[in-house]
Amino acid sequence: MRLGGDTRAITKPGQFVQIALPGFYLRRPISVCDWQMGENGTLDLIYKAVGAGTEAMSRMETGTKLDVLTGLGNGFDVTGADEKPLLIGGGVGVPPMYGLCKALLAAGKQPSVVLGFNTADEVFWKDEFEALGVPVTVTTADGTMGMKGFVTSAMDGDFDYVYTCGPEPMFKAVYKVLDEKGVSGQFSFEERMACGFGVCMGCSCKTKYGNKRICKDGPVLVKEEIIW
Ligand SMILES: Cc1cc2nc3c(=O)[nH]c(=O)nc-3n(C[C@H](O)[C@H](O)[C@H](O)COP(=O)(O)OP(=O)(O)OC[C@H]3O[C@@H](n4cnc5c(N)ncnc54)[C@H](O)[C@@H]3O)c2cc1C
Ligand code: FES
């Protein structure tokens, strides 16, 4: 979905927006995939239709006006990475990796990308990442495209930092490999949200540095603070 409007509140890759949908009480949080900053900027979102809200989004006509809260969450810190960060996206965790990859390239880093899916039919945004000129490895659990297995099968290359977004079982597996290698990283969490900007405490979770609100203090947590 490409939206047009004021995107000046978006300052970092990995931030998200909250979309109000007519007829739905709660807004739907979706990660910023890519954006052009400006009063008349653009915002690209990629979402999977999983329930009534995203289903309704998928039926919207071009030209529909939406009420969107932008620039939410802390986003990824590109200064945290060393020279060769590895970006790992799993399923709907892939979109924020795209804006992050562009930001890391602009910061002079040499990112490589691993995109993990269940099967070839689910693979998306591979060509767009390749067009950025970065090494891209696709893994599919059933082996129908790229490397057979999970994203961790593609973690034996040369990297000194990891950024990741995806489902929790993938996070735990990635975390374990990072522990073994003594490498740090940033993890972007998905949590059910109500307000999305830090006031309802509905998304609070425990970290080694105390309770944090995933919507406001996250969604990105550094490896060292995560408690599973
Ligand atoms: C920070 C963040 C970024 C996200 N980025 C993306 C993205 O880029 N692309 C994408 O496809 N999906 C993304 N999601 C997941 C997306 O928000 C849910 O798939 C969506 O809200 C489902 O709404 P629904 O009405 O279709 O489903 P329903 O299951 O009918 O939703 C019912 C309620 O549960 C909430 N909910 C359901 N699933 C999730 C979920 N996984 N995470 C959080 N809330 C959920 C809904 O927002 C809604 O309030 C993100 C979630 C978070 C928290
Ligand atoms: S969703 Fe309200 S504080 Fe996070």
Side-chain angles (χ1 to χ4, degrees):
M1 176 186 276
R2 170 162 288 176
L3 301 175
D6 190 345
T7 57
R8 288 173 295 177
I10 303 170
T11 55
K12 282 183 174 176
Q15 288 185 309
F16 66 97
V17 301
Q18 280 266 68
I19 305 179
L21 298 169
F24 292 87
Y25 177 61
L26 292 173
R27 291 172 180 265
R28 269 36 179 184
I30 302 288
S31 303
V32 171
C33 173
D34 197 13
W35 78 105
Q36 277 182 347
M37 175 121 49
E39 199 173 345
N40 297 306
T42 59
L43 171 60
D44 293 347
L45 309 174
I46 305 178
Y47 64 91
K48 184 170 182 175
V50 292
T54 43
E55 192 65 45
M57 274 164 60
S58 72
R59 287 196 305 270
M60 281 175 178
E61 306 274 345
T62 303
T64 303
K65 284 196 177 160
L66 285 173
D67 168 355
V68 181
L69 297 178
T70 63
L72 302 174
N74 58 354
F76 290 109
D77 178 5
V78 295
T79 64
D82 292 326
E83 287 313 299
K84 293 183 176 174
L86 180 65
L87 279 54
I88 305 175
V92 293
V94 166
M97 293 295 134
Y98 185 70
L100 173 64
C101 192
K102 287 175 82 171
L104 287 165
L105 287 168
K109 315 278 182 186
Q110 300 162 44
S112 36
V113 177
V114 177
L115 307 175
F117 302 93
N118 288 317
T119 186
D121 285 351
E122 293 179 0
V123 176
F124 67 94
W125 236 241
K126 172 179 173 286
D127 296 347
E128 285 77 1
F129 276 102
E130 284 174 349
L132 297 178
V134 299
V136 179
T137 307
V138 169
T139 65
T140 50
D142 66 1
T144 45
M145 189 187 285
M147 193 181 277
K148 182 173 170 39
F150 299 112
V151 293
T152 42
S153 329
M155 287 183 72
D156 50 7
D158 180 20
F159 63 89
D160 46 28
Y161 199 80
V162 159
Y163 292 95
T164 183
C165 186
E168 198 160 313
M170 181 191 102
F171 271 3
K172 287 183 176 165
V174 168
Y175 186 97
K176 191 162 170 277
V177 175
L178 295 188
D179 252 359
E180 284 159 12
K181 289 183 181 284
V183 170
S184 186
Q186 297 173 31
F187 291 63
S188 182
F189 283 82
E190 262 188 27
E191 188 59 63
R192 298 231 161 194
M193 292 177 183
C195 72
F197 47 85
V199 298
C200 75
M201 309 306 281
C203 64
S204 187
C205 76
K206 278 202 172 92
T207 76
K208 287 184 189 159
Y209 308 146
N211 284 344
K212 290 202 169 181
R213 296 156 300 176
I214 290 297
C215 69
K216 179 84 177 172
D217 311 310
V220 179
L221 300 181
V222 291
K223 175 176 174 287
E224 290 68 32
E225 66 184 316
I226 296 167
I227 301 174
W228 297 113

